[in-house]
Amino acid sequence: RYVAFAGMAGLPDPDQALVFTITPRAVRKVSISATGAMPSSSVVDAVVSDNGRFVAYITFAANMTATSMSGPCIYVVDLTMV
């Protein structure tokens, strides 16, 4: 039912973590900062839980939290909360 993937070159948002829902057919951006900004760097991997509730992704973006991070960070998003 769910597929999580990192955006890639050629897509409108290549630096995003995305979830594709098979029924209904929909693509949802999940790598959005608390301020609503897109990642400032690449998302390199994304996975979704079996029930589609949680998505985890790895990014090098420094703008995903209020505190700037360096190096790759793992984020987990509860899709029922966004």
Side-chain angles (χ1 to χ4, degrees), residues 58-80:
I58 301 170
T59 184
F60 288 88
N63 67 328
M64 299 308 290
T65 62
T67 306
S68 181
M69 307 296 280
S70 64
C73 293
I74 299 171
Y75 295 93
V76 177
V77 178
D78 182 343
L79 295 178
T80 65

Side-chain angles (χ1 to χ4, degrees), residues 3-18 20 27 31 38 41-46:
V3 177
F5 59 99
M8 56 191 126
L11 291 178
D13 298 314
D15 293 331
Q16 290 284 314
L18 305 154
F20 175 69
V27 175
S31 54
M38 290 178 45
S41 187
S42 298
V43 171
V44 293
D45 200 5

